[in-house]
C-alpha cells in the first residue's frame, strides 16, 4: 500500500526565504545563503547538512505553500507549476519542518515515510516573476509545492524552467 500525505499553509517570507529543517536537537536554519550545487545548479532550493534553503519570488509577505510526503515518487505537477527542480536531502531525524525566515513560525509536516536517510526534494514554483515585481504583499501571488520521498542521493536537476527568477537564481555568483 502506498501512502501520500499533503499539508498546505500560508507561509510568511522575508528576503525571499524559508527553510526546510531536519528535526534534530541542534536543528537551526542556515546562517546565510547556502551555495548552489557547483556543477548542477537548481537555483531556488539549496541543501546543506540538515537544512534546505527555499527561495521564493516574493521578497516579503505571504506565499501559498504545500508539502507532500510520499513513500514513492509522486510525479511532478508539470501542468500546475512553471518551474520544477529536484535535489537530494539527508534527514538524520526522519522528521522535518518548514521554518519561516528569522526563526519565525514552524510548520509541521507529516513524518518522513522511511525514517532517517536520503530523500528527494522536488520544489515546484508558480508566479515567481509576478511576485518578484510586486516585492511585498499579504495577498498570495506565488505558490509552491515541495514533494519529499525516499530516494538514494543523486545529482540535482531542473525538471522544468519557465521563469526569469529561476534563471536568475541559477546564474553563477
Amino acid at each position: 500500500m502506498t501512502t501520500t500525505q499533503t499539508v498546505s499553509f500560508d507561509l510568511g517570507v522575508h528576503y525571499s526565504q524559508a527553510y526546510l529543517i531536519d528535526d534534530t536537537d541542534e536543528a537551526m536554519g542556515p546562517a546565510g545563503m547556502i551555495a548552489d550545487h557547483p556543477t548542477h545548479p537548481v537555483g531556488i532550493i539549496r541543501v546543506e547538512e540538515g537544512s534546505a534553503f527555499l527561495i521564493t519570488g516574493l521578497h516579503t509577505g505571504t506565499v501559498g505553500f504545500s508539502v507532500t510526503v510520499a513513500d514513492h515518487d509522486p510525479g511532478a505537477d508539470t501542468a500546475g507549476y512553471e518551474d520544477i527542480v529536484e535535489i537530494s536531502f539527508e534527514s538524520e531525524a526522519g522528521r522535518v519542518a518548514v521554518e519561516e525566515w528569522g526563526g519565525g513560525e514552524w510548520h509541521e509536516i507529516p513524518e518522513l515515510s522511511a525514517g532517517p536517510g536520503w530523500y528527494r526534494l522536488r520544489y515546484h514554483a508558480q508566479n515567481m516573476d509576478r511576485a518578484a515585481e510586486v516585492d511585498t504583499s499579504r495577498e498570495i501571488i506565488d505558490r509552491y509545492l515541495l514533494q519529499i520521498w525516499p530516494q538514494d542521493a543523486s545529482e540535482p536537476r531542473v525538471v522544468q524552467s519557465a521563469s526569469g527568477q529561476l534563471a536568475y537564481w541559477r546564474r553563477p555568483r
Side-chain angles (χ1 to χ4, degrees):
M1 181 166 111
T2 61
T3 60
T4 302
Q5 298 178 14
T6 301
V7 294
S8 298
F9 45 88
D10 293 348
L11 179 67
V13 298
H14 293 279
Y15 301 102
S16 302
Q17 300 173 24
Y19 319 99
L20 179 72
I21 307 296
D22 196 36
D23 188 15
T24 61
D25 290 340
E26 59 275 346
M28 295 175 51
M33 175 70 79
I34 296 172
D36 205 350
H37 193 278
T39 57
H40 300 284
V42 292
I44 59 175
I45 186 169
R46 295 151 182 227
V47 171
E48 85 180 0
E49 286 185 29
S51 62
F53 193 94
L54 307 165
I55 297 172
T56 64
L58 192 68
H59 182 277
T60 303
T62 304
V63 302
F65 207 90
S66 296
V67 180
T68 297
V69 175
D71 61 1
H72 64 287
D73 181 348
D77 184 354
T78 56
Y81 292 87
E82 296 168 326
D83 300 311
I84 305 170
V85 298
E86 295 181 2
I87 198 163
S88 294
F89 175 83
E90 186 175 20
S91 172
E92 185 178 314
R95 295 174 312 279
V96 293
V98 174
E99 180 186 11
E100 295 183 359
W101 180 84
E105 186 175 346
W106 284 64
H107 300 274
E108 290 190 25
I109 63 172
E111 195 164 316
L112 300 181
S113 60
W118 282 100
Y119 287 84
R120 192 67 168 177
L121 305 179
R122 183 180 293 130
Y123 191 43
H124 298 67
Q126 181 67 27
N127 295 329
M128 286 188 81
D129 288 344
R130 190 161 56 110
E133 288 173 11
V134 171
D135 188 62
T136 302
S137 176
R138 293 286 171 215
E139 299 294 319
I140 293 176
I141 298 168
D142 47 343
R143 60 187 179 86
Y144 301 86
L145 167 63
L146 180 64
Q147 296 173 321
I148 307 171
W149 71 95
Q151 181 178 306
D152 290 339
S154 59
E155 294 294 336
R157 76 183 188 110
V158 175
V159 176
Q160 184 166 289
S161 174
S163 76
Q165 284 294 298
L166 179 57
Y168 170 81
W169 285 107
R170 290 187 68 220
R171 287 194 312 230
R173 309 238 180 265

